[in-house]
Amino acid sequence: MTPRSHGLALGIVVVALAALALGYHNAFVLNLVFVGLIYAVLGQSWNWISGYAGQISFGHALFFGCGAYASALFGVHHGSPWLALPAGALVAAALALAVGFPCFGLRGHYFSIATIAVAAIAEIAVNNIGALGKANGFEMPILAPSLASLQFDDKGQYVLMALVLFAIAQIGTITLERSRLGYYLRAIRANQEAAASVGVDARAAKLATFAAGAALAALAGSLYAQQTLYVGPEDTLALPISIAIALVGVVGGLSTVWGPALGALVYVALARYGGAVLGGQGHGLDLLLYGGLILVIVSWRPDGLAGIGGSIRRFVRRRSAETPA
Amino acid sequence: MDLGPLPQLVVSGILTGLLFALISVGLTLIFGVMDVVNFAHGEFLMLAMYLTFGLALVGLNPIFALPFVALAAFVLGAIVYRLLIRRLLDGPPSTVVFGTFGLLVFLQGAAQYFFTSDYRSVPNPPFQGTLHLGNVALGEAQLIAGLGALVMTALVFAFVEFTEPGRALRALSEDRVAAQLMGIDVQRMNALAFGLGTACVGAAGALLMLTYPAFPRVGTEFALTAFVVVALGGFGSVQGALLGAILVGLVEVLGGFYISPALKLIPVYALYLVVVLLRPQGLLGRR
């Protein structure tokens, strides 16, 4: 797909969901749409580092948690949520640089395990630090609904906010694919030594991508906290959240613009029946199906749902081209 | 000289470490032979624990269940290799990571769906006595689990070191191409290694049920500890895994006592980061 058709697709999705948010006042459905958009953004932020840059992270919840805790802390201490957004994003980006700088030298799985270790350390620490609410987390104060307080009485407004973030994530990805950084990342993934020999600074390229993705995940975390008004380690920092984020990315299709959104769509649809959305322990059927889907995709179609979609499109185009006019 | 609780903690740390060793030897064996880090390793442990629990429900002592569970795990491992892992090996390295990650999610979801999230402990657990050696008090179950793990680890070591198939496995981990040229059937040996590595967690699962409950996410924490152990000992090194496991067991128990039980895993995970960044080949690994 060209950037133009990506943009067109994004426009259609945004307009359709915005119409839904404004016109359809079913709190249950709007909540699912909200969570789906949050996951699409998280999956995309993961896709930047683990898809495009090829550094597989199983600790991405750490950055989501940064944003959620920033919102919680600003909320509890009566700061503006609009300051929490950049604060969480900055902390997340700084953490990504601190983790990435030493760890990007590591071979594949060493890095992946390191991300689990760092996220686990953060989770244990938060569980034991009084100022961060320990295992109980934070109940955020309920404020008068307004854009300034980032609290709304209508679920549709949250969907609109998430839609803005989703558009930023998608435009970021479309831009990344066509940017110098995007070409660097592709070169590094294909052959890091060859890329380095023509002057590509692999570490700098990966660090920039990782930090940007972490900041994006933190923004999603802040927005999520503003909607639930509760933040605790179990549903923001724990390993199952990191696993869910990676799931969304892998199922949808690595290194594709629409993969994370497709993955999030499937995730929310399945989780809806599994009873587990973000951290809750469902009865497991959703995980079973998701795991099975990954196994099928990994052994047959590493490019995921988005890749299968691309094949279908090409097939249809070929068929219509063969049809005599 | 009064050492206070130190001797007790050291013995306890070593016994914990021996169980880590058995789990980690399985992981490192698979890695050494086919360069696969099995992210679903802990889920095989979880399945073995449930099988042991099921056998205990019909009255089988986990110690006597151990050979059956280990054998079942071996067969499961070999089947998983044939059906899944073999396909993944053809792709880029990330395929293996995502494939075993998918297996983790699948098995955890299956356990949650079929067994629910409840904690399951062996009913009327055996070996409830306590042994006193000087001022060291030891639960019999903990002692038997630790020693059992040591025996099993020694058996695996002896197999790899002194048998013909074991020699073939070592040859593969040293130089795959040369081993292949010498007529070693790589597919067969990979399946053997994967089955053997899974049998290790099978045996460990049976032993663990003496002191620990089974639940769907039980494998994650043990697998994470095994990653630390294997990194510490050097990916692929069996002796390194034993040494690393005892070190990690000591760090966990001593850290839990002198720092705080809630924080006991922080030094363990921090140890991983320090080792992979400063000495990526591990204590006994080769580059």
Side-chain angles (χ1 to χ4, degrees):
Chain A
M1 276 166 89
T2 61
R4 182 181 292 249
S5 52
H6 279 308
L8 189 65
L10 179 61
I12 293 170
V13 170
V14 168
V15 168
L17 287 178
L20 186 80
L22 293 173
Y24 187 65
H25 297 285
N26 182 326
F28 178 76
V29 170
L30 289 181
N31 194 43
L32 279 184
V33 173
F34 175 78
V35 173
L37 286 170
I38 292 288
Y39 260 109
V41 172
L42 287 173
Q44 192 63 275
S45 76
W46 179 88
N47 186 32
W48 289 357
I49 185 66
S50 301
Y52 290 101
Q55 296 279 336
I56 303 162
S57 159
F58 289 135
H60 221 63
L62 175 64
F63 308 121
F64 178 65
C66 282
Y69 272 88
S71 270
L73 288 170
F74 273 76
V76 175
H77 300 294
H78 309 293
S80 164
W82 288 99
L83 293 176
L85 288 167
L90 275 177
V91 172
L95 268 175
L97 293 178
V99 174
F101 186 75
C103 293
F104 281 151
L106 301 174
R107 254 182 80 194
H109 54 262
Y110 284 99
F111 175 79
S112 303
I113 299 168
T115 59
I116 305 178
V118 170
I121 289 173
E123 190 202 345
I124 298 170
V126 167
N127 264 304
N128 289 283
I129 294 174
L132 293 176
K134 296 198 171 178
N136 291 329
F138 293 107
E139 301 262 7
M140 291 160 61
I142 297 171
L143 305 173
S146 75
L147 195 59
S149 68
L150 256 184
Q151 291 188 18
F152 309 105
D153 46 9
D154 181 36
K155 291 272 179 206
Q157 315 275 345
Y158 288 108
V159 172
L160 289 181
M161 295 303 297
L163 213 45
V164 172
L165 199 56
F166 175 68
I168 293 173
Q170 292 305 95
I171 293 169
T173 313
I174 298 165
T175 315
L176 176 72
E177 283 210 330
R178 295 283 153 161
S179 69
R180 183 180 288 259
L181 180 61
Y183 289 111
Y184 281 177
L185 292 177
R186 226 162 298 164
I188 293 164
R189 222 172 11 153
N191 187 337
Q192 183 154 333
E193 282 82 30
S197 73
V198 292
V200 174
D201 185 342
R203 195 183 288 246
K206 289 177 186 173
L207 279 175
T209 313
F210 198 25
L216 181 61
L219 293 177
S222 288
L223 199 54
Y224 180 72
Q226 289 300 133
Q227 196 258 355
T228 54
L229 294 179
Y230 166 76
V231 172
E234 271 291 296
D235 29 325
T236 55
L237 286 169
L239 184 62
I241 307 290
S242 290
I243 288 180
I245 296 172
L247 276 179
V248 165
V250 184
V251 169
L254 296 160
S255 320
T256 61
V257 173
W258 291 98
L262 289 170
L265 186 70
V266 178
Y267 181 81
V268 171
L270 285 182
R272 155 79 185 79
Y273 292 101
V277 175
L278 272 165
Q281 284 212 4
H283 52 51
L285 189 60
D286 52 335
L287 284 182
L288 187 123
L289 292 173
Y290 237 112
L293 202 54
I294 292 186
L295 291 179
V296 170
I297 284 174
V298 171
S299 33
W300 300 97
R301 287 301 302 236
D303 47 0
L305 295 177
I308 294 171
S311 299
I312 294 173
R313 222 176 34 247
R314 276 189 295 279
F315 178 74
V316 170
R317 196 172 304 153
R318 208 164 41 237
R319 286 294 289 270
S320 53
E322 282 166 5
T323 320
Chain B
M1 189 170 74
D2 183 25
L3 294 171
L6 195 60
Q8 171 84 46
L9 295 171
V10 168
V11 172
S12 183
I14 291 174
L15 289 176
T16 310
L18 289 172
L19 263 173
F20 291 161
L22 184 53
I23 299 169
S24 310
V25 162
L27 190 68
T28 209
L29 199 65
I30 293 170
F31 178 83
V33 171
M34 65 197 91
D35 214 13
V36 165
V37 174
N38 180 14
F39 280 91
H41 199 59
E43 277 48 51
F44 288 121
L45 179 75
M46 178 265 296
L47 289 182
M49 291 176 76
Y50 273 109
L51 180 56
T52 311
F53 171 74
L55 292 172
L57 285 185
V58 297
L60 199 60
N61 182 326
I63 286 296
F64 299 120
L66 187 146
F68 299 105
V69 179
L71 186 67
F74 180 90
V75 173
L76 177 68
I79 292 174
V80 166
Y81 176 79
R82 290 275 171 190
L83 292 183
L84 177 70
I85 308 295
R86 191 168 59 162
R87 308 179 62 96
L88 303 179
L89 289 176
D90 298 332
S94 64
T95 314
V96 176
V97 176
F98 288 128
T100 57
F101 167 69
L103 192 59
L104 172 161
V105 174
F106 178 76
L107 293 177
Q108 230 177 65
Q112 209 166 313
Y113 184 64
F114 291 110
F115 307 139
T116 76
S117 304
D118 296 345
Y119 284 43
R120 315 276 184 186
S121 295
V122 169
N124 308 316
F127 317 122
Q128 287 304 293
T130 307
L131 289 176
H132 292 273
L133 305 161
N135 4 341
V136 179
L138 283 176
E140 278 178 16
Q142 198 198 5
L143 189 65
I144 290 175
L147 293 180
L150 181 62
V151 170
M152 295 308 296
T153 308
L155 281 177
V156 174
F157 181 73
F159 178 81
V160 172
E161 213 51 38
F162 303 118
T163 68
E164 198 55 41
R167 246 188 292 277
L169 291 179
R170 275 186 295 136
L172 271 175
S173 68
E174 261 165 46
D175 189 331
R176 190 182 315 250
V177 176
Q180 236 169 325
L181 291 175
M182 297 301 122
I184 290 174
D185 181 345
V186 176
Q187 290 305 331
R188 235 180 117 94
M189 284 301 134
N190 279 355
L192 173 69
F194 210 88
L196 207 56
T198 311
C200 288
V201 278
L207 293 168
L208 205 53
M209 280 310 276
L210 290 172
T211 56
Y212 218 81
F215 52 95
R217 286 181 187 166
V218 68
T220 323
E221 193 178 300
F222 283 99
L224 212 45
T225 308
F227 289 144
V228 179
V229 167
V230 167
L232 196 58
F235 274 88
S237 160
V238 172
Q239 296 98 309
L242 182 60
L243 180 70
I246 289 173
L247 276 177
V248 168
L250 286 171
V251 167
E252 193 176 309
V253 171
L254 294 176
F257 184 82
Y258 290 109
I259 304 171
S260 144
L263 299 176
K264 66 175 183 177
L265 288 172
I266 288 190
V268 176
Y269 298 152
L271 192 60
Y272 172 81
L273 296 172
V274 171
V275 171
V276 293
L277 292 174
L278 299 183
R279 196 179 157 79
Q281 72 271 39
L283 296 175
L284 298 181
R286 37 172 211 271
R287 287 236 69 169

